[in-house]
Amino acid sequence: MPKCRCSECPSNHRGRPAPLPGLLWGQAHKVPKHRPTGIPQSPLPECLCPGISSNHSDDSPYSWSVPPYHPSSEQYENTKTCKGPDGELHANLLCPVDVAEVPEGTLPDKQSTEEAIRLLEKMKSSTSPFFLAVGYHKPHIPFRYPKEFQKLYPLESITLAPDPQVPAGLPPVAYNPWMDIRQREDVQALNLSVPYGPIPVDFQRKIRQSYFASVSYLDTQVGQLLSALEALQLANSTIVAFTSDHGWALGEHGEWAKYSNFDVTTRVPLMFYVPGRTAPLPEAGDKLFPYINPFDSVSALMEPGREAVDLVELVSLFPTLAGLAGLHIPPRCPIPSFHVQLCREGQSLLKHFRFHDSEEDVALHGNPRESIAYSQYPRPADSPQWNSDKPSLKDIKVMGYSIRTIDYRYTVWVGFNPQEFLANFSDVHAGELYFVDSDPLQDHNMYNDTQGGDLPHSLTP
């Protein structure tokens, strides 16, 4: 159960690593620089956050040996390229398209796949190790994807979120009013009330349909890339990691988008392929990554990989990849760490890759109740307002710090000084406490029930 520490696009940490002998990295958080001399590093978009998050630099040249690639069609993502029911073009949230009719006749993620394969072909003829970061936009909004993927998710089969109502015990400061969605033309036409909505049921189903279709579109791009990796005979010597920078609410708690501390926005996929460890090397004629067309009537069944249920964090990605690649794992960062050139925050997850032929050694994993994942999210005020989702640093007045364990999620919203970057934990604005066994969707806030007495010992990290 991997967690990101903030459900927004990540700010710059310290660059990225260059593990050996080869690493193909899916959409990912930024991780510390660990760049041995002579190892080419190539980024494709969404592995970095263009603009202010990287100080308008794309983290180049500090993190990359070649300039970051940006698809030429990326410029059209938020323009009027979505055909509406009126036949006109709009800047919509829901944007299934005929790829042949869009500007340049392609989409950014398609271009990123093509560029990644071109780079892999170049690496095949080189004897040098490499690090390639491939970032995909979808299912980031707007949901602009090839329209044929809607067929995989008929609208009549789309269900609503299991808990589409704003929970009665949810503190107002914890709610995100999904203002970025409201700015899209098709959502503006719904004339929704602010901050709680709600979105009409039929439109909720359309949002969920387009999100699922966008994910399947992304899945085909990843499939094509992995198939090319194998066709180029690089799969037996390349570590592959697949992850995301945040989750996305699809109506849960009456929320949409990613601006909260709930599991639905902080939980992300985290998958690894390590040659000879996570899967045996293929026999002659066998394929590790056969491309599966989602539109085929009969799809081949794939043997599932091993699953770990421990709580882990994306800050563990850097030391894990460094260790898997045989690099030295830097020491933990001191507090403060601004004077340290290279350090890490997360712990290595190498223990999860020590497999026996028959079954895993349970002793390697320790007590799952000792695992903790942290997240936080800023707010400009105690009640939802126009900049609640993405406040500027100077406007942050409250910070929500959250602890997730195997048993519970505990969040406190406290006063925050943006000038000093300091939280005041004696200035508690609100709190949340959810017991995940009895309340897996986190709808029943028990925080106020614990006031007047100490938390049970089991809730103390």
Side-chain angles (χ1 to χ4, degrees):
M1 188 186 298
K3 301 287 181 177
C4 63
R5 287 201 167 183
C6 183
S7 54
E8 243 289 27
C9 190
S11 60
N12 190 24
H13 289 292
R14 294 177 183 267
R16 292 170 181 79
L20 309 174
L23 175 69
L24 176 66
W25 186 25
Q27 177 173 321
H29 252 33
K30 300 176 180 181
V31 295
K33 182 190 298 184
H34 197 333
R35 180 171 156 184
T37 303
I39 297 180
Q41 293 175 287
S42 303
L44 280 78
E46 200 57 25
C47 293
L48 43 84
C49 281
I52 188 62
S53 294
S54 62
N55 198 26
H56 300 281
S57 71
D58 285 347
D59 300 328
S60 179
Y62 303 106
S63 296
W64 309 111
S65 56
V66 298
Y69 170 79
H70 289 276
S72 58
S73 64
E74 188 177 14
Q75 61 184 305
Y76 307 109
E77 276 293 278
N78 291 294
T79 61
K80 294 178 181 290
T81 59
C82 315
K83 186 173 291 186
D86 57 0
E88 301 296 322
L89 296 179
H90 300 272
N92 286 345
L93 172 66
L94 310 182
C95 192
V97 298
D98 183 337
V99 176
E101 295 180 356
V102 300
E104 300 188 28
T106 188
L107 295 174
D109 288 343
K110 286 178 172 288
Q111 288 184 290
S112 292
T113 300
E114 293 164 359
E115 176 68 7
I117 293 174
R118 186 190 70 79
L119 290 170
L120 287 175
E121 291 171 343
K122 182 179 178 180
M123 296 303 175
K124 176 179 170 58
S125 60
S126 172
T127 58
S128 300
F130 67 89
F131 174 79
L132 175 60
V134 183
Y136 290 111
H137 284 269
K138 297 307 129 193
H140 198 287
I141 63 172
F143 299 130
R144 186 167 174 261
Y145 59 93
K147 64 181 182 181
E148 58 266 24
F149 284 89
Q150 280 189 322
K151 299 175 184 177
L152 300 175
Y153 303 96
L155 196 58
E156 59 271 18
S157 68
I158 301 297
T159 61
L160 300 178
D163 54 345
Q165 305 299 322
V166 179
L170 183 70
V173 69
Y175 185 80
N176 91 82
W178 30 280
M179 298 303 294
D180 56 350
I181 289 179
R182 296 174 188 271
Q183 295 169 7
R184 309 288 167 166
E185 290 184 32
D186 50 351
V187 178
Q188 287 180 351
L190 299 174
N191 195 27
L192 303 174
S193 62
V194 178
Y196 295 106
I199 293 177
V201 167
D202 61 338
F203 201 85
Q204 289 188 41
R205 287 194 171 93
K206 291 179 181 179
I207 294 177
R208 290 168 67 88
Q209 177 195 41
S210 277
Y211 185 91
F212 301 152
S214 296
V215 171
S216 289
Y217 163 52
L218 165 67
D219 191 50
T220 63
Q221 300 306 303
V222 175
Q224 291 171 21
L225 184 56
L226 292 177
S227 181
L229 181 77
E230 185 167 29
L232 292 168
Q233 299 180 342
L234 292 171
N236 288 354
S237 59
T238 303
I239 298 168
V240 181
F242 177 89
T243 188
S244 180
D245 50 357
H246 53 74
W248 215 79
L250 285 165
E252 296 87 354
H253 313 111
E255 292 184 320
W256 304 84
K258 58 188 179 182
Y259 311 105
S260 79
N261 276 317
F262 281 117
D263 274 12
V264 71
T265 60
T266 60
R267 190 173 182 178
V268 297
L270 182 59
M271 294 180 281
F272 292 91
Y273 161 71
V274 184
R277 287 204 190 185
T278 58
L281 297 178
E283 301 290 339
D286 292 341
K287 287 189 176 182
L288 270 172
F289 302 119
Y291 177 74
I292 300 175
N293 189 330
F295 299 103
D296 287 348
S297 57
V298 178
S299 294
L301 294 177
M302 298 294 294
E303 182 178 349
R306 296 174 183 261
E307 181 180 0
V309 296
D310 291 14
L311 282 163
V312 299
E313 300 178 288
L314 287 186
V315 289
S316 292
L317 194 57
F318 168 43
T320 301
L321 293 176
L324 288 171
L327 297 175
H328 169 70
I329 299 178
R332 283 188 176 273
C333 294
I335 300 176
S337 62
F338 293 105
H339 63 287
V340 179
Q341 184 176 12
L342 180 65
C343 61
R344 64 179 172 90
E345 291 183 333
Q347 61 180 343
S348 170
L349 306 178
L350 290 182
K351 64 184 181 181
H352 293 286
F353 298 91
R354 296 170 185 162
F355 300 141
H356 297 296
D357 291 337
S358 57
E359 58 184 49
E360 299 178 49
D361 186 348
V362 178
L364 287 172
H365 297 269
N367 183 354
R369 283 182 167 75
E370 295 176 355
S371 299
I372 297 174
Y374 299 91
S375 63
Q376 67 184 85
Y377 207 84
R379 294 284 189 241
D382 286 328
S383 296
Q385 58 185 47
W386 68 272
N387 63 338
S388 287
D389 294 342
K390 296 186 286 186
S392 299
L393 175 61
K394 63 181 178 60
D395 296 327
I396 297 174
K397 301 294 188 296
V398 186
M399 187 69 75
Y401 293 92
S402 192
I403 297 174
R404 177 65 157 88
T405 76
I406 196 171
D407 296 312
Y408 65 91
R409 177 174 285 283
Y410 176 55
T411 305
V412 287
W413 297 88
V414 300
F416 184 81
N417 184 329
Q419 286 76 38
E420 302 294 332
F421 299 97
L422 291 176
N424 182 0
F425 282 89
S426 64
D427 178 23
V428 178
H429 291 228
E432 300 170 79
L433 176 61
Y434 307 98
F435 296 97
V436 295
D437 275 348
S438 58
D439 184 22
L441 301 179
Q442 300 170 15
D443 288 317
H444 305 287
N445 183 10
M446 306 299 292
Y447 177 82
N448 290 331
D449 295 345
T450 67
Q451 300 308 293
D454 294 333
L455 287 177
H457 179 70
S458 62
L459 295 186
T460 304

